[in-house]
Amino acid sequence: MTVPVLIFSTLLSIASVGYLLYDVYNKDINAPPTPSMILESRKETLETIKVNLIETSKYRESFTPQIPRTEESPLNGVLFTKAEMNKLMKKRPIAVMINNHNIARPQSNMAKADIVFETPVEAGITRYMAIYWSEDVKEVGPIRSVRNYHLEWLKGYDAILIHDGQAYSDDSRLDAASNLRKYGVKTVSTYGAWRWNDGRRYAPHNEYSSPHKVWEYAKSKGWDNFPEITSWKFKSDLPISERGKSQRADIVFWTAMRNYGNYDTTWTYLPSRNTYLRKIGGKNDIDQKTNIQIEAKVLVIHRTKMNLSYNSKGHILVDVLGSGNATILQDGISHKCTWKKDSRTSRTVYYNDCLLYTSDAADEEDSVDLGGRRII
């Protein structure tokens, strides 16, 4: 790389000197150059060389070899350099309870989450638990309260929890308030949160938080190292010739409660980018901060039993532990699989040593756990 830089700079410098000498020559062919003329010429030449070296530096940077991305994220398989991974391993994942009431849309920075869980809460409304780790996100929300089944999923990541409130109940299966303490959840609640009054969203649909601030705060609590968790296995994208031609999954989370389709989602596969684009309530789901449509590399439709509790809050019971059926959508292909979660602290594992499932749409949709893998 040194030779092209020196030649490039030298050629430009000679041309500049030639121009300066030509200028001096035309002023008076017989008169010798004065000391001031020589100094001025040298000054301008040095300035030209300085500029040329700056431009050459930019030229050199464009040919800098790219550091290979060889390290897999244990969360979703995204590839990083060793230096990037060493830095990431010094912080803990953060789980954020994000409001999905139709008044709370669009959400901020959902597109930057590593993994997102979406499942019903009350009244047929769904809520997100978004897990952030690989990107330094300064604003997420709107944030809302947590349910006990979210805590069951959360503990598999031993993540820090951002939320505003929790479900209270005399039934231990529903009482997230007592289980926050019982499970030893690393909650920061509403630390650093703020309300954004944009004239359209009002409390409780306008509260935001910052994973960036929480990561800084976590250092004082000793929560600044990546936990020991079970890593999923990942693979590279299929060549475009081997991907599905088209695929669409329509997800209806809860049919017992009429919600006018406000929480029904549609995922449409885009073969050229090997990703699934999301709509909600019949509209493109656009992230407010990035202004891009929400998408995912991998969708896991996780089927589990849900029952009404019939308490005054309308809370629902979700069976998180045990095993059940799942459908994995990836590369435009559907696979019928099995999920298994042995304990409250273990991560849900999906077994894909199963029959290829080729339907163009998912069936028996109850809750969705969506994660992604990008090849960079």
Side-chain angles (χ1 to χ4, degrees):
M1 297 305 297
T2 303
V3 175
V5 171
L6 291 175
I7 291 174
F8 184 71
S9 298
T10 303
L11 288 174
L12 288 178
S13 299
I14 291 172
S16 301
V17 173
Y19 172 81
L20 292 169
L21 292 178
Y22 175 81
D23 188 56
V24 172
Y25 175 82
N26 276 282
K27 286 183 178 178
D28 189 342
I29 194 170
N30 297 315
T34 64
S36 62
M37 291 170 63
I38 294 172
L39 287 174
E40 187 66 26
S41 297
R42 288 180 177 177
K43 179 180 177 182
E44 292 183 12
T45 301
L46 289 173
E47 288 297 323
T48 302
I49 292 173
K50 181 180 178 182
V51 171
N52 289 336
L53 289 176
I54 292 173
E55 293 299 322
T56 303
S57 176
K58 295 179 181 178
Y59 174 81
R60 186 190 303 118
E61 288 175 3
S62 67
F63 286 91
T64 302
Q66 293 297 311
I67 300 174
R69 297 179 181 272
T70 57
E71 310 305 303
E72 281 187 346
S73 163
L75 296 185
N76 62 6
V78 173
L79 298 176
F80 297 96
T81 66
K82 288 185 177 180
E84 290 170 336
M85 184 58 72
N86 289 338
K87 185 177 180 180
L88 285 171
M89 294 302 286
K90 295 178 181 178
K91 67 180 185 180
R92 187 174 294 269
I94 291 178
V96 186
M97 297 308 306
I98 297 183
N99 191 347
N100 191 34
H101 195 287
N102 58 345
I103 297 175
R105 300 172 194 158
Q107 291 83 6
S108 293
N109 282 322
M110 281 275 291
K112 293 185 178 181
D114 292 77
I115 295 174
V116 179
F117 290 79
E118 181 180 9
T119 193
V121 281
E122 298 79 41
I125 299 170
T126 64
R127 186 162 299 173
Y128 306 113
M129 184 176 73
I131 297 179
Y132 294 87
W133 181 62
S134 62
E135 296 204 42
D136 188 12
V137 182
K138 295 181 172 58
E139 177 183 315
V140 294
I143 63 174
R144 282 305 298 268
S145 57
V146 67
R147 300 293 177 265
N148 192 52
Y149 40 92
H150 295 124
L151 300 181
E152 301 280 8
W153 280 317
L154 164 72
K155 283 303 291 181
Y157 298 87
D158 200 11
I160 300 167
L161 176 62
I162 295 175
H163 64 110
D164 187 349
Q166 52 278 319
Y168 292 88
S169 175
D170 294 333
D171 187 335
S172 62
R173 298 174 301 171
L174 299 169
D175 189 29
S178 64
N179 285 329
L180 279 166
R181 298 185 296 273
K182 181 179 178 181
Y183 295 172
V185 176
K186 297 173 176 63
T187 174
V188 295
S189 188
T190 58
Y191 172 83
W194 67 93
R195 296 279 181 184
W196 177 30
N197 297 315
D198 62 352
R200 185 168 60 86
R201 281 174 286 205
Y202 302 93
H205 304 297
N206 65 345
E207 187 174 14
Y208 293 79
S209 186
S210 170
H212 175 83
K213 290 182 181 178
V214 169
W215 274 313
E216 291 299 316
Y217 172 74
K219 294 177 183 178
S220 67
K221 304 284 286 184
W223 299 343
D224 52 348
N225 287 310
F226 193 83
E228 293 185 9
I229 67 170
T230 300
S231 177
W232 291 334
K233 294 181 179 180
F234 305 101
K235 70 172 196 64
S236 299
D237 288 8
L238 285 180
I240 192 167
S241 60
E242 298 178 23
R243 299 172 192 169
K245 303 297 183 189
S246 64
Q247 190 178 48
R248 170 174 158 169
D250 297 297
I251 314 296
V252 180
F253 286 93
W254 193 256
T255 57
M257 183 69 67
R258 189 177 181 185
N259 59 29
Y260 304 100
N262 286 326
Y263 304 94
D264 297 348
T265 62
T266 298
W267 295 89
T268 304
Y269 180 63
L270 191 62
S272 61
R273 290 171 50 197
N274 200 22
T275 193
Y276 294 84
L277 300 178
R278 172 180 160 98
K279 287 186 176 182
I280 185 165
K283 299 178 181 178
N284 290 346
D285 194 358
I286 305 297
D287 188 291
Q288 182 159 22
K289 283 296 177 181
T290 63
N291 201 35
I292 64 174
Q293 188 172 357
I294 301 296
E295 59 184 76
K297 279 283 188 183
V298 181
L299 304 176
V300 180
I301 302 172
H302 176 121
R303 299 180 180 89
T304 187
K305 293 180 181 178
M306 295 186 180
N307 294 290
L308 295 173
S309 68
Y310 299 103
N311 66 10
S312 61
K313 300 293 185 180
H315 293 145
I316 59 176
L317 293 162
V318 180
D319 290 340
V320 172
L321 302 181
S323 63
N325 295 322
T327 301
I328 294 178
L329 279 64
Q330 186 176 30
D331 296 317
I333 302 170
S334 298
H335 303 267
K336 276 192 173 180
C337 299
T338 302
W339 66 267
K340 187 176 182 181
K341 182 170 168 62
D342 292 326
S343 68
R344 173 177 51 80
T345 58
S346 65
R347 192 178 183 191
T348 305
V349 177
Y350 298 93
Y351 297 91
N352 62 355
D353 52 344
C354 46
L355 296 175
L356 185 65
Y357 182 55
T358 57
S359 170
D360 285 341
D363 56 2
E364 302 180 69
E365 302 83 0
D366 287 313
S367 66
V368 172
D369 164 12
L370 63 95
R373 159 107 189 235
R374 298 194 301 270
I375 305 300
I376 300 176

